[in-house]
Structures are given as C-alpha cells and as structure tokens.
Amino acid sequence: MQPESIAERRDKWRPVSARRCATIRRIRVGIAFVAASKDQDSKTDRHSVVESSRQDVGAFNPRLIVVSGMLLGFKIELADAPVIIGRASECGLALPHSSVSRQHCRIWRENGRYLIEDMASTNRTFLNGQPVTRAELRDGDQISIGSNAIKFFVGASMESSYHHELIDLAIYDSLTGFYNRRHFRTLLDEEVEKAKNSAALSLLMLDLDYFKDVNDRHGHLVGDQVLSAVAQVIRECAPSSAPIGRLGGEEFALALRGATLAAATALAETVCTAVAACPIAAPVMETGESRLAVTISIGVAQTGANCATSSELLRSADAALYRAKEGGRNRVCCAGPM
C-alpha cells in the first residue's frame, strides 16, 4: 500500500482546478434549480443533479475519505497492507488531535473483505454511530474516531460522488481553485506547528492594487475575470507543494515550507513582476481596449520568535503588505531583515 501523502492530496487540485471550478458551479446551479422548481411532476431530484455533475468519476479502489475533522478531504486508497489510524505521525492515516489515541484502530483486508478493529483506544472506535471492537466494513460505512468522521467506499457510488462534491465546496474557492479562507487557516495552523520542529515557514500575503476601481468601473464580471487570471499567474509562479488560499475578495496567501525569508521574498518579486507583465484580457470601456493592466502588492513574513502562531505570522505578513501599499503599491515588502 502506498497511502496518499498530505502534500499530494492538497496539490491534486492544481492540474484540475478548472474542472473543479466548473463542477462546483454546476452543482450549485443544479441544487438551486431543484430547490426553486415548483413542478410537482418533475422527475429531477437532488441526487440526479449531483450524479450528473460527475460523469467522469470512473472506477475507484476501496478507500477512506475524511469527511469531518482537521484533514477534511484527505483520501487514502486501501490495498492488502493493514492501515493503522491514530494520532502518531507514523500511522498510515495520522489524525493529529487530542481526541484520537496514538494507535486508535486498524483496517485490513481478509478473504476479500475489509475489517476494522479498535486498538484499545481511549475514546473507542464507532461504526455508524455504534462502538465496535471488531467489525466488517461495508460500502458507505461511517467511522468515527475522536472528533473525526471517515467514510469507507468500495466503488464509485452516488454517495461517494456526493461526498466528493461536498468536500470540494467546503475546501475550495470556486472562482480561483485555491483553498478557501477557512481551510487555508486550518492548513496554516498545521504548517506552523510543523515548522517548530523543522525548517521555518514563510508566508506571502498578496493583494491586488486598486481592485475596487476595477469593479466600480468595469463591473463585477470583469472583476472576476481579473481575479481568475491573476490566480493563474500566482499558480504558475508558486512551487507545486505550496498551499495557496483566497482569504477574501482580492487577497490571497501562499505558504512556503522550508523557504528562507530571502527565497520567499525573491518568489514574491517574481509574482509581482509576472502580474504586472500580463495584462488581463477584458474589455476597457473608456478606451475600447481589450486588455486591462493590473498590479499586485505583497507582504512577506517568516515564523520565528515573534511569529510562533499562525495568527502572529498572518499579522506580520499583513503589516508588511500594508507597508507595500503605503510605499506606492506594485511592490514587495518584507517583515524583518533577510
């Protein structure tokens, strides 16, 4: 068995971000249509809308998907080797939460069936709401481990597709394909904790310049085009392993694992230059031109004595971003000496 790493799971959106955004829009439109329909004879229901939005699901191996908890959306495919679930980092599925025992339970294959067994955990293992010592897993079963909920799926069922869609809606921003604010903050908390025992973590805070003027002058549709295009530039400049989030409006954040402050600042300069060099294909009413020039300001900070928590790191990067704005925009400012 080769479990999918956290980094691999988080980075899966990169090559399929456009398809995910389209899928999220389809499911939202579909659910809104069903809710608004007054035709009592209609044969369209919520399940058929969700199912039709994932025609490309294909076949799946038996797998576990975290549907509630800190690792929401994490997936691990099951094979012949046993999988131990627990708080310890060496577990096949590590759930870093105090409600989870170091080795909480194990799942293994036996005679073509998958079984689950509690490993004398403090808070017990629950299967579909009932405490279990040992039981056989069936498609769609829900496993509760501390404050985490995990679904077991055998194939590409309708329920499996439904959970995939809900996880997408819960984690990703539909316009850019980046993580939404809530999920990015969760990831940042985790990365800051890891950085205490390893190389420092750097954070870029990015904010489009004069974006309100873009919306006021050209409309929100053009504003969305600008955000989507700038997000693509950021994606192309950033390392494939870097978590990126849309914190709100025109503000983004990018975390760099193990990057020095100088390296993070150099990347920020690259992003700043790339955005300024790529006018957005959008109509400009005043001039009749078809491209709109935009720029971005960036603040850079790093974990350390004064940035021991994710909140402190965000405040430090935000203060540097403020100085970039005050200094004339379209520039990078760094928190502290490099």
Side-chain angles (χ1 to χ4, degrees):
M1 181 201 65
Q2 293 183 335
E4 183 184 53
S5 70
I6 295 177
E8 289 171 337
R9 188 268 295 178
R10 289 171 179 166
D11 298 329
K12 269 191 170 181
W13 63 270
R14 291 184 179 276
V16 296
S17 60
R19 180 171 63 82
R20 173 174 287 115
C21 293
T23 298
I24 291 173
R25 293 189 190 103
R26 285 201 303 272
I27 187 173
R28 282 176 171 164
V29 171
I31 290 175
F33 170 79
V34 174
S37 175
K38 297 181 180 180
D39 184 359
Q40 300 299 318
D41 297 324
S42 173
K43 292 182 172 57
T44 302
D45 59 21
R46 192 178 300 262
H47 290 291
S48 66
V49 171
V50 172
E51 184 179 32
S52 67
S53 71
R54 291 191 68 90
Q55 295 295 327
D56 58 346
V57 167
F60 286 104
N61 293 324
R63 63 206 179 282
L64 303 173
I65 301 177
V66 180
V67 297
S68 177
M70 190 170 186
L71 295 183
L72 175 66
F74 183 84
K75 180 181 71 174
I76 181 171
E77 293 192 351
L78 301 173
D80 294 329
V83 175
I84 294 179
I85 304 174
R87 190 176 73 249
S89 60
E90 62 268 17
C91 290
L93 177 51
L95 301 172
H97 194 273
S98 58
S99 63
V100 181
S101 296
R102 286 187 58 80
Q103 292 189 333
H104 200 104
C105 65
R106 72 183 183 109
I107 295 174
W108 75 100
R109 186 175 181 177
E110 184 177 296
N111 298 324
R113 305 176 302 158
Y114 281 94
L115 304 176
I116 184 170
E117 182 178 58
D118 184 76
M119 300 178 71
S121 64
T122 301
N123 293 323
R124 309 186 70 178
T125 300
F126 291 78
L127 184 63
N128 300 320
Q130 299 298 319
V132 295
T133 302
R134 177 178 171 136
E136 179 181 353
L137 290 173
R138 302 184 184 278
D139 187 39
D141 277 351
Q142 179 162 310
I143 306 162
S144 297
I145 299 174
S147 61
N148 304 273
I150 302 170
K151 295 288 286 188
F152 169 77
F153 292 115
V154 174
S157 64
M158 182 185 298
E159 185 181 5
S160 171
S161 301
Y162 179 66
H163 277 283
H164 275 287
E165 300 292 1
L166 290 183
I167 288 169
D168 275 356
L169 290 170
I171 292 178
Y172 299 105
D173 171 62
S174 61
L175 179 63
T176 63
F178 292 161
Y179 293 122
N180 60 29
R181 181 186 181 89
R182 183 188 63 80
H183 193 66
F184 182 82
R185 285 299 308 269
T186 299
L187 296 182
L188 188 62
D189 288 341
E190 182 182 338
E191 294 294 340
V192 169
E193 285 301 311
K194 288 181 180 179
K196 293 178 180 179
N197 300 314
S198 59
L201 177 77
S202 294
L203 180 70
L204 275 61
M205 291 278 285
L206 312 92
D207 191 273
L208 269 66
D209 298 326
Y210 302 112
F211 184 71
K212 183 178 183 300
D213 291 345
V214 173
N215 279 333
D216 290 345
R217 293 178 182 177
H218 311 295
H220 289 276
L221 182 60
V222 171
D224 284 351
Q225 289 179 275
V226 169
L227 287 171
S228 181
V230 170
Q232 182 62 32
V233 174
I234 296 171
R235 181 181 298 116
E236 291 172 353
C237 293
S240 61
S241 61
I244 311 175
R246 183 184 178 193
L247 302 188
E250 68 275 25
E251 189 174 49
F252 306 98
L254 189 158
L256 294 171
R257 307 178 182 102
T260 65
L261 197 57
T265 302
L267 175 63
E269 294 284 2
T270 298
V271 173
C272 196
T273 300
V275 171
C278 296
I280 310 304
V284 182
M285 300 300 183
E286 292 89 342
T287 64
E289 297 177 359
S290 60
R291 302 185 74 82
L292 182 64
V294 296
T295 60
I296 196 167
S297 298
I298 306 175
V300 185
Q302 188 177 58
T303 54
N306 297 322
C307 292
T309 67
S310 62
S311 295
E312 290 171 346
L313 183 62
L314 283 164
R315 279 197 296 269
S316 182
D318 193 54
L321 172 60
Y322 179 79
R323 290 199 302 273
K325 293 286 189 181
E326 288 291 297
R329 295 178 169 82
N330 188 26
R331 65 188 61 209
V332 174
C333 279
C334 180
M338 289 188 287

